[in-house]
């Protein structure tokens, strides 16, 4: 026993010696990035996000955390400095795990813990993570850092780099990149470049070559059909699209608006604005029937839209995108004679018409997951091919290793007939044009453009595949959002008592109706979603359900007013 205690004490003192010299540097550097006393921030679905002025200490500390994560995983980790579709004065950060995916929930917890430790408790908080995760501090660490075009991003990304070096980690600063590009770099690095080359040039080359190969299968596309109007949200996506354009070899003619040369980031433009306001961004000239799309601020979301001959605006959101991609993939799998299990992953917000079309007409598996890209990504990984998109336009397609191998074997098989060979080659190039690490506006745009060209489809024909059910989203202020608890991928409320029963009763009053409620992830609000056969009924149902939430779940302020 005595020997054990002595041994343990010797080990503990040895650990102190190995860790302490690095902690001296952390202590010194940390005083240059002090935390405002009492400030509390949560690592949420989209990482940290708030006014840029409050983020310097967070950035430094996330440099420390990703260094530990890299030592733990023996792999390169990514940090992206961005606040996506938030206003220009905000900023934030997202952490990227070794395969280019979002960081694990446990480490999200550590991020919150480290971010909120008061200045004098920082070293103890670090020590706690090192011990809990049994991290070998002599292990080498590598961190990739990228940033968007916000004016605050330069100094904030420098704070991340300071954090990495304070713990003796190595960093590579990619400078200005889209969020999906940084995810891509991390994945390339950790697969020893099997996924691609970990450079921006490598990213352009892989995607553009695949796109050009795909469009060779499009018969006689006119210049008009090759034309696309793009709203770059005055963000990083516009910058990167400009860089990439020449590599598209005139297979796509892009008119770029809101390119950042004069407008403000995300102001009256971008995918979020278009989706929420249901109207085109400011500064875009729309000719009837012309294809237009919008990226969001960090280019991980995309939505399409057009104006018809009457000037009426039509939006094609993530549900429509997932449907188009699913039709294309299903046809190719049939032509190639490949038996692969394909599914579409949606959230409760997916329009009921899209779910019905996918299940009843296309006959593909549909899974519903909780809101938040990481939940969809995880659910999509359970299939040979998983197509996932949130209605807001964030999504991608995942192929299992086995699926990729089967596609490749077929593409290289010289004894199959021409139809199967063509389908296999199309599938192979489709895999290469897709960024599987995360939703990517540039990659999704190239895939959609290739599909429309190959199928000889107009945007109106795509839109006509199914008609969206009219819907309405509302918010109800409550005293405590934790009062509401949900199940079944957030489609049913289990508390407070009586709320779900009330919703069920209200839904019965309208045709083709459904409604659900879910608490906001960040503020004391409850989000209400309703759809029905007509817009008037969707609005009325949303209001009825809002009243039920207000009365049964501790609403604050005045009762929700009817919309009409």
């Amino acid at each position: 026993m005595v020997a054990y205690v002595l041994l343990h004490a010797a080990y503990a003192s040895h650990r102190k010696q190995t860790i302490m010299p690095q902690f001296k540097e952390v202590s010194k550097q940390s005083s240059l990035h002090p935390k405002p006393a009492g400030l509390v921030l949560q690592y949420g679905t989209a990482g940290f996000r708030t006014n840029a002025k409050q983020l310097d200490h967070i950035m430094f500390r996330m440099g420390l955390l990703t260094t530990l994560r890299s030592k733990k995983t023996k792999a390169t980790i990514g940090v992206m400095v961005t606040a996506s579709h938030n206003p220009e004065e905000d900023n934030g950060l997202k952490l990227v795990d070794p395969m280019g995916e979002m960081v694990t929930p446990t480490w999200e917890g550590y991020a919150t813990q480290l971010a909120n430790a008061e200045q004098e408790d920082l070293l103890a908080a670090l020590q706690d993570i090192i011990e809990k995760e049994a991290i070998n501090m002599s292990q080498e660490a590598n961190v990739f850092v990228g940033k968007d075009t916000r004016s605050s991003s330069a100094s904030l990304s420098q704070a991340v780099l300071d954090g990495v070096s304070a713990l003796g980690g190595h960093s590579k600063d990619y400078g200005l990149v889209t969020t999906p590009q940084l995810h891509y770099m991390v994945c390339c690095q950790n697969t020893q470049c099997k996924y691609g080359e970990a450079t921006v040039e490598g990213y352009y080359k892989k995607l553009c070559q695949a796109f050009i190969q795909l469009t060779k299968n499009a018969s006689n596309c006119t210049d008009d059909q090759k034309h696309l109007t793009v709203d770059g949200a005055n963000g990083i996506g516009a910058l990167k699209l400009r860089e990439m354009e020449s590599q598209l070899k005139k297979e796509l003619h892009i008119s770029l608006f809101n390119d950042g040369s004069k407008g403000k980031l995300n102001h009256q433009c971008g995918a979020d604005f278009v989706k929420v306001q249901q109207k085109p961004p400011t500064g875009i000239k729309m000719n009837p029937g012309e294809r237009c799309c919008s990226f969001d601020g960090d280019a991980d979301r995309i939505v399409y839209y057009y104006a018809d001959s009457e000037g009426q605006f039509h939006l094609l959101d993530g549900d429509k995108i997932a449907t188009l991609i699913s039709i294309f993939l299903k046809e190719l799998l049939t032509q190639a004679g490949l038996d692969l299990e394909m599914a579409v992953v949606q959230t409760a917000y997916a329009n009921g018409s899209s779910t019905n079309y996918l299940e009843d007409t296309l006959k593909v598996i549909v899974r519903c997951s909780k809101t938040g890209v990481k939940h969809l990504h995880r659910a999509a990984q359970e299939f040979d091919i998983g197509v996932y998109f949130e209605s807001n336009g964030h999504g991608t397609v995942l192929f299992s290793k086995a699926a990729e191998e089967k596609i490749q074997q077929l593409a290289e098989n010289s004894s199959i007939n021409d139809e199967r060979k063509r389908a296999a080659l199309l599938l192979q190039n489709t895999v290469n044009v897709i960024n599987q690490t995360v939703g990517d506006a540039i990659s999704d745009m190239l895939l959609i453009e290739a599909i429309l060209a190959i199928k000889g489809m107009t945007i109106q024909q795509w839109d006509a595949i199914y008609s969206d059910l009219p819907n309405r989203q509302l918010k109800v202020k409550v005293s405590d959002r934790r009062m509401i608890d949900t199940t079944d991928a957030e489609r049913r409320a289990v508390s407070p008592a009586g709320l779900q029963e009330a919703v069920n009763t209200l839904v019965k009053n309208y045709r083709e109706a459904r409604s659900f409620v879910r608490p906001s992830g960040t503020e004391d609000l409850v989000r209400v979603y309703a759809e029905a056969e007509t817009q008037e009924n969707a609005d009325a149902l949303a209001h009825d359900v809002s009243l039920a939430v207000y009365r049964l779940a501790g609403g604050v302020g005045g009762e929700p007013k009817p919309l009409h």
Side-chain angles (χ1 to χ4, degrees):
M1 187 66 194
V2 174
Y4 170 77
V5 170
L6 287 171
L7 192 68
H8 191 70
Y11 170 71
S13 92
H14 167 71
R15 267 192 86 189
K16 269 212 169 70
Q17 283 160 12
T18 53
I19 293 168
M20 285 325 274
Q22 281 166 315
F23 272 17
K24 273 194 193 123
E25 191 54 34
V26 171
S27 204
K28 192 170 100 188
Q29 290 277 341
S30 167
S31 61
L32 304 174
H33 302 280
K35 172 186 180 294
L39 177 69
V40 175
L41 290 170
Q42 192 81 20
Y43 191 97
T45 355
F48 288 112
R49 239 181 242 183
T50 186
N51 187 287
K53 293 190 178 83
Q54 300 189 317
L55 282 167
D56 181 68
H57 70 292
I58 297 268
M59 298 291 167
F60 173 74
R61 292 170 181 207
M62 291 308 105
L64 302 174
L65 186 73
T66 44
T67 307
L68 295 183
R69 181 75 181 141
S70 176
K71 288 175 186 286
K72 170 74 183 178
T73 56
K74 299 186 174 65
T76 298
I77 299 297
V79 180
M80 181 67 199
V81 177
T82 180
S84 190
H85 53 273
N86 279 37
E88 185 142 23
E89 53 277 12
D90 288 352
N91 216 321
L93 145 160
K94 297 174 182 178
L95 303 178
V96 183
D97 249 6
M99 282 303 111
E101 75 278 49
M102 314 245 172
V103 76
T104 64
T106 308
W107 283 74
E108 284 183 1
Y110 293 152
T112 299
Q113 188 185 323
L114 207 55
N116 296 320
E118 292 306 336
Q119 202 62 17
E120 62 279 11
D121 303 326
L122 178 61
L123 300 186
L126 268 181
Q127 184 75 29
D128 185 47
I129 296 166
I130 293 165
E131 282 170 12
K132 269 188 187 146
E133 293 290 329
I135 293 167
N136 170 11
M137 291 303 284
S138 59
Q139 174 67 40
E140 203 174 81
N142 291 289
V143 178
F144 284 179
V145 182
K147 61 173 182 271
D148 73 7
T149 52
R150 291 162 201 271
S151 53
S152 59
S153 290
S155 64
L156 291 176
S157 69
Q158 186 53 54
V160 176
L161 297 166
D162 292 348
V164 175
S165 70
L167 267 181
H170 304 287
S171 59
K172 178 165 181 174
D173 183 4
Y174 275 92
L176 292 167
V177 285
T178 68
T179 295
Q181 284 177 333
L182 188 81
H183 283 257
Y184 178 90
M185 304 307 163
V186 171
C187 182
C188 290
Q189 183 68 19
N190 290 317
T191 54
Q192 286 68 54
C193 297
K194 280 196 195 73
Y195 191 64
E197 194 190 306
T199 63
V200 175
E201 293 70 35
Y203 167 92
Y204 295 146
K205 199 169 140 193
K206 181 181 173 182
L207 268 61
C208 292
Q209 279 180 353
F211 175 74
I212 288 161
Q213 288 302 320
L214 283 170
T215 51
K216 280 182 180 165
N217 288 272
S219 46
N220 323 319
C221 266
T222 64
D223 281 357
D224 270 359
Q225 288 165 320
K226 288 180 182 178
H227 182 257
L228 175 68
T229 298
V230 181
D231 155 32
N234 290 315
I236 185 70
L239 216 68
K240 296 293 150 181
L241 196 54
R242 273 270 147 81
E243 279 179 13
M244 185 181 83
E245 221 176 336
S246 62
Q247 300 202 26
L248 291 169
K249 308 262 196 298
K250 303 205 166 55
E251 285 305 317
L252 188 58
H253 302 225
I254 292 168
S255 298
L256 183 57
F257 291 85
N258 299 320
D259 63 355
S261 56
K262 46 184 186 291
K264 209 173 154 190
L265 176 72
N266 294 325
H267 181 63
Q268 297 197 328
C269 61
D272 202 56
F273 172 83
V274 174
K275 168 79 178 157
V276 173
Q277 301 297 325
Q278 301 275 324
K279 65 180 186 187
T282 309
I284 266 197
K285 288 194 289 289
M286 281 172 76
N287 298 321
E290 252 186 20
R291 288 192 312 286
C292 307
C293 70
S294 285
F295 295 178
D296 73 333
D298 64 340
D300 63 0
R301 293 182 187 187
I302 186 169
V303 294
Y304 269 72
Y305 45 94
Y306 69 98
D308 62 24
S309 50
E310 265 83 69
Q312 179 78 31
F313 174 82
H314 295 260
L315 176 75
L316 291 87
D317 61 6
D319 300 338
K320 289 255 158 140
I321 294 170
T323 304
L324 180 72
I325 295 170
S326 303
I327 290 170
F328 180 66
L329 289 173
K330 180 137 198 234
E331 284 171 0
L332 290 183
L333 290 173
T334 306
Q335 289 162 13
L338 277 171
D339 183 22
L340 294 172
E341 188 175 47
M342 181 171 100
V344 179
V345 184
Q346 300 182 319
T347 70
Y349 286 106
N351 194 277
S353 291
S354 74
T355 314
N356 295 342
Y357 177 83
L358 290 163
E359 287 184 329
D360 304 340
T361 308
L362 203 56
K363 305 268 187 275
V364 297
I365 301 164
V366 178
R367 283 277 179 282
C368 188
S369 96
K370 281 173 73 172
T371 306
V373 182
K374 59 185 178 190
H375 301 298
L376 286 102
H377 193 92
R378 223 167 284 144
Q381 285 172 323
E382 292 170 26
F383 300 91
D384 291 324
I385 301 176
V387 180
Y388 76 80
F389 274 84
E390 290 195 291
S391 301
N392 62 25
H394 190 153
T396 186
V397 186
L398 305 185
F399 294 85
S400 69
K401 247 193 178 53
E404 283 192 17
E405 279 164 14
K406 279 183 183 171
I407 291 166
Q408 193 175 341
Q409 280 163 8
L410 198 63
E412 289 165 2
N413 184 342
S414 52
S415 62
I416 56 171
N417 68 35
D418 288 354
E419 187 194 27
R420 289 187 72 192
K421 183 80 167 172
R422 175 182 178 272
L425 288 167
L426 278 169
L427 280 165
Q428 197 172 33
N429 286 307
T430 300
V431 170
N432 287 330
V433 87
I434 291 167
N435 181 353
Q436 294 185 53
T437 62
V438 74
D440 181 339
I442 291 176
S443 155
D444 290 337
M445 174 193 81
L446 292 177
L447 176 60
I448 292 162
E449 289 302 307
I451 294 172
L452 293 175
I454 291 164
K455 293 180 73 64
M457 237 177 163
T458 64
I459 192 164
Q460 293 91 328
Q461 288 168 323
W462 169 22
D463 191 26
I465 291 170
Y466 66 81
S467 300
D468 275 331
L469 278 165
N471 57 80
R472 176 66 66 197
Q473 295 186 39
L474 296 175
K475 297 173 190 167
V476 183
K477 279 192 174 168
V478 291
S479 56
D480 183 1
R481 67 180 185 272
R482 289 167 302 187
M483 281 266 302
I484 297 230
D485 196 14
T486 63
T487 185
D488 186 24
E490 305 176 309
R491 289 178 290 190
R492 286 190 306 120
V494 286
S495 70
L499 179 59
Q500 188 56 49
E501 290 73 11
V503 174
N504 295 349
T505 306
L506 293 166
V507 165
K508 282 178 189 155
N509 297 334
Y510 303 95
R511 288 177 54 129
E512 290 192 54
R514 86 184 165 98
S515 180
F516 66 88
V517 300
R518 58 180 283 271
S520 156
T522 48
E523 46 198 328
D524 285 322
L525 285 177
V526 174
R527 300 184 189 282
V528 172
Y529 177 90
E531 63 186 30
E533 195 179 27
T534 65
Q535 190 60 58
E536 201 181 340
N537 286 353
D539 291 351
L541 176 57
H543 175 252
D544 294 346
V545 172
S546 297
L547 273 179
V549 169
Y550 181 87
R551 288 167 185 164
L552 296 167
V556 293
E559 275 200 350
K561 298 271 182 291
L563 291 159
H564 301 290

